[in-house]
Amino acid sequence: MAALRLLCSRLGLCTRVAVSGGMRSCASPTEACACSFSSSTRLRVKFYTDPVEAVKDISDEATVLVGGFGLCGIPENLIGALLKTRVKGLTIVSNTVGVEDFGLGLLLQTKQVKRIVCSYVGGNPLCEQQYLAGELELDLTPQGTLAEKIRAGGAGVPAFYTSTGYGTLVHEGGAPIKYYEDGHLAIISKPREVREFNGRHFLLEEAITGDFALVKGWKADSAGNVIFRKSARNFNEPICKAADTTVVEVEEIVDVGSFSPEDIHIPSIYVDRLIKGKHYEKRIERLTIRKDEDEKPKDNKRTRIIKRAALEFEDGMYANLGIGIPLLASNFISPNITVHLHSENGVLGLGPFPLKDEVDADLINAGKQTVTIIPGASFFASDESFAMVRGGHLNLTMLGGMQVSKYGDLANWMIPGKKVKGMGGAMDLVSSPKTKVVVTMEHSTKANEHKIVDKCTMPLTGKRCVNRIITEKAVFDVDKMRGLTLIELWEGLTVDDIKKYTGCAFAVSPNLKPMQQVVT
């Protein structure tokens, strides 16, 4: 305090600084006071009771960063306020785009959004429809890259290099961002600059900042410090730091000093406006309840894949499981080992699906399903989550696939002009050579088209990234220079059968074995 008074005195500013309720403020209303001595325009957190008042100066064509993952941790009241202000032409930066009748989907219904920068639109068919009809610009960005672009923007880092997306449309450019009404391309993505470090290729990605950030916290104190609850931290934390004006809505505002300083997730320096939300629906996108312990899975080809995939788990490993077949493999982890399951939305230590009375809207996995956690679990923000992914701290990632090439190229996120779900975190998950990548998928399409091919015809998720392929018919190891080797074969099938169902040549292991299954 003495140092502050001395500095202000030398500059001819007010030196009557008082401390009240743990917050510093000027003791007199002079224009030139210590409160105004700052290199930024942020003076103090402003508190609001009306969400419309908190966002009414968001203008047409503004760029707005919006927190949340699916419907978990979305700023419901602030999104509702934008519906009332009728602002239009918005560029929205958000990991996902809600559902048709909730969250950001409401702004799509009223056509207030011009462009969306996100990683996944799978839960919102309205977004996909508007995009394919030429009504909406859609800039699909790998989830970890998106989190890091936002983190970099908040940290004043203009750009960074990442291996995520090398060899894909993200790298090469040409991904459709906007269509004309007749289906022709109006806007396509630009190619990225590439640089080599230690024999690996990396893309230059530019940071993202916004005019406003809309954030959902759990609690805030009267100084403006914020904490989040469980997996609702997700993109909210990095988004807080990357906008000119950050507006945070919370469920509760407590007295300053109620939080231990070491427990604060977002210091007040990042918060401009704060409001206590009046109502929270906290809708759950994919309510998932644990089934009866005695219920046994049906013996079908999906179960066959799952039971083989479960043999990939080893005691003590850290693993990330994709939506669908990979996630189901967790049901067959041996009780004699411990596997730490990681989820991109900011959870390490996933447990089983909850019982009915354990359901928590603030605790979901990357598939937006309700989950539980095991003792020793932890929560963190999305940028931290993908630091674990890209940094090679995971031992295993298991993903589904649309196509896999004989050299381990993977395609699993898009059919141009037809199916647009987004890559989510998949491109990041296959980007580290330190992490074993296992693809679990049915051997052929429903139309009996090959899914294991010489060369992928669909947009790539990753180039030469797959280490093993598990189908209901066989298991292949992938050498990224030599190609495929058949190592296991389902009982009753021959090598010639596998050749018939596989769209590329492969070697056969001299130690070819029957396809293994976990014992249940």
Side-chain angles (χ1 to χ4, degrees):
M1 183 68 70
L4 179 61
R5 285 199 179 105
L6 177 60
L7 179 60
C8 291
S9 176
R10 289 177 178 175
L11 293 173
L13 301 177
C14 172
T15 60
R16 288 181 288 178
V17 180
V19 178
S20 176
M23 298 179 65
R24 287 177 180 170
S25 61
C26 223
S28 63
T30 56
E31 286 188 21
C33 66
C35 299
S36 65
F37 183 68
S38 172
S39 59
S40 72
T41 57
R42 180 182 282 109
L43 301 181
R44 60 175 64 83
V45 179
K46 295 182 180 179
F47 291 82
Y48 290 78
T49 56
D50 181 356
V52 173
E53 286 295 312
V55 300
K56 69 179 182 180
D57 55 340
I58 297 180
S59 61
D60 293 349
E61 310 295 322
T63 296
V64 182
L65 316 182
V66 182
F69 189 100
L71 302 181
C72 179
I74 63 170
E76 298 179 33
N77 292 276
L78 297 175
I79 291 172
L82 291 181
L83 292 171
K84 295 179 180 179
T85 66
R86 308 298 296 175
V87 62
K88 59 183 182 296
L90 295 174
T91 293
I92 298 290
V93 179
S94 181
N95 178 53
T96 51
V97 289
V99 294
E100 285 185 275
D101 62 344
F102 194 62
L104 291 174
L106 297 171
L107 296 177
L108 292 175
Q109 281 187 7
T110 53
K111 302 211 173 162
Q112 292 174 252
V113 182
K114 177 182 72 174
R115 182 184 182 97
I116 289 180
V117 182
C118 69
S119 79
Y120 192 72
V121 301
N124 193 332
L126 176 62
C127 180
E128 186 176 7
Q129 292 164 14
Q130 290 185 354
Y131 166 64
L132 294 175
E135 300 172 357
L136 179 71
E137 296 176 19
L138 182 60
D139 186 354
L140 287 168
T141 303
Q143 190 178 143
T145 297
L146 180 62
E148 187 67 9
K149 284 163 78 80
I150 295 167
R151 189 209 67 80
V157 177
F160 58 92
Y161 284 98
T162 177
S163 60
T164 297
Y166 176 75
T168 74
L169 284 176
V170 174
H171 159 207
E172 297 165 353
I177 291 177
K178 188 176 191 301
Y179 289 97
Y180 289 115
E181 290 184 7
D182 62 6
H184 286 84
L185 290 175
I187 304 173
I188 61 174
S189 65
K190 296 179 181 179
R192 302 294 198 271
E193 177 187 319
V194 178
R195 186 171 171 183
E196 186 174 324
F197 296 92
N198 300 318
R200 294 179 60 207
H201 294 93
F202 293 78
L203 313 183
L204 182 68
E205 293 283 2
E206 296 183 6
I208 288 177
T209 56
D211 300 308
F212 286 83
L214 306 185
V215 173
K216 164 62 172 58
W218 179 32
K219 295 181 180 181
D221 66 18
S222 54
N225 300 303
V226 179
I227 60 174
F228 302 98
R229 186 172 183 272
K230 299 186 178 181
S231 66
R233 192 185 310 191
N234 52 61
F235 272 77
N236 279 298
E237 185 169 317
I239 278 174
C240 265
K241 308 169 187 178
D244 293 337
T245 302
T246 294
V247 189
V248 180
E249 64 170 84
V250 293
E251 298 175 41
E252 185 179 354
I253 298 177
V254 298
D255 291 337
V256 67
S258 297
F259 305 148
S260 295
E262 61 268 25
D263 293 336
I264 290 168
H265 297 146
I266 289 293
S268 61
I269 193 170
Y270 295 115
V271 179
D272 297 288
R273 302 175 187 175
L274 192 59
I275 183 170
K276 180 181 177 181
K278 293 182 179 179
H279 171 73
Y280 288 103
E281 181 178 340
K282 286 196 174 184
R283 188 183 300 187
I284 295 172
E285 191 166 346
R286 298 187 65 193
L287 177 63
T288 310
I289 305 296
R290 187 156 76 239
K291 296 181 179 179
D292 190 339
E293 295 279 348
D294 297 327
E295 182 175 340
K296 293 184 178 180
K298 296 178 181 179
D299 188 11
N300 55 32
K301 57 186 178 181
R302 280 172 60 90
T303 304
R304 194 185 305 172
I305 299 170
I306 292 163
K307 286 185 174 182
R308 174 57 186 84
L311 293 173
E312 297 295 312
F313 298 123
E314 298 176 11
D315 190 26
M317 75 168 15
Y318 293 89
N320 182 289
L321 306 181
I323 299 169
I325 291 174
L327 185 60
L328 294 174
S330 64
N331 295 326
F332 295 94
I333 296 174
S334 168
N336 299 320
I337 66 174
T338 298
V339 177
H340 307 277
L341 295 180
H342 170 275
S343 188
E344 300 102 287
N345 58 313
V347 187
L348 186 62
L350 288 176
F353 295 129
L355 298 173
K356 188 174 182 180
D357 60 356
E358 295 176 322
V359 169
D360 188 334
D362 288 333
L363 181 51
I364 65 168
N365 63 17
K368 290 87 174 176
Q369 297 168 299
T370 46
V371 291
T372 61
I373 54 173
I374 62 174
S378 57
F379 299 112
F380 35 85
S382 294
D383 52 339
E384 181 74 29
S385 183
F386 281 95
M388 299 174 188
V389 171
R390 288 190 310 273
H393 301 284
L394 297 177
N395 304 110
L396 171 71
T397 186
M398 202 177 287
L399 300 159
M402 295 178 182
Q403 291 179 329
V404 182
S405 82
K406 64 181 178 181
Y407 295 120
D409 299 334
L410 171 64
N412 77 345
W413 69 280
M414 182 184 189
I415 302 175
K418 295 182 180 180
K419 183 178 181 180
V420 184
K421 298 299 183 185
M423 68 285 287
M427 287 188 179
D428 304 274
L429 286 164
V430 302
S431 67
S432 173
K434 296 180 181 180
T435 302
K436 182 178 182 180
V437 177
V438 175
V439 170
T440 58
M441 65 181 187
E442 294 183 13
H443 206 102
S444 307
T445 68
K446 292 180 180 178
N448 289 321
E449 298 171 333
H450 296 315
K451 296 177 73 172
I452 302 173
V453 294
D454 265 311
K455 184 177 181 179
C456 295
T457 56
M458 297 179 185
L460 293 185
T461 303
K463 192 172 181 64
R464 302 200 178 203
C465 60
V466 178
N467 300 103
R468 179 165 287 176
I469 306 168
I470 299 173
T471 77
E472 79 281 8
K473 293 180 170 62
V475 179
F476 292 94
D477 274 349
V478 185
D479 185 299
K480 295 162 189 177
M481 299 301 294
R482 299 176 185 175
L484 302 180
T485 299
L486 178 66
I487 63 169
E488 295 179 24
L489 187 64
W490 184 250
E491 182 181 357
L493 296 177
T494 67
V495 173
D496 286 339
D497 291 329
I498 302 304
K499 288 180 180 178
K500 176 182 175 182
Y501 291 109
T502 305
C504 63
F506 55 85
V508 179
S509 170
N511 299 314
L512 181 64
K513 300 176 181 178
M515 190 167 160
Q516 303 173 64
Q517 297 277 276
V518 69
V519 178
T520 58

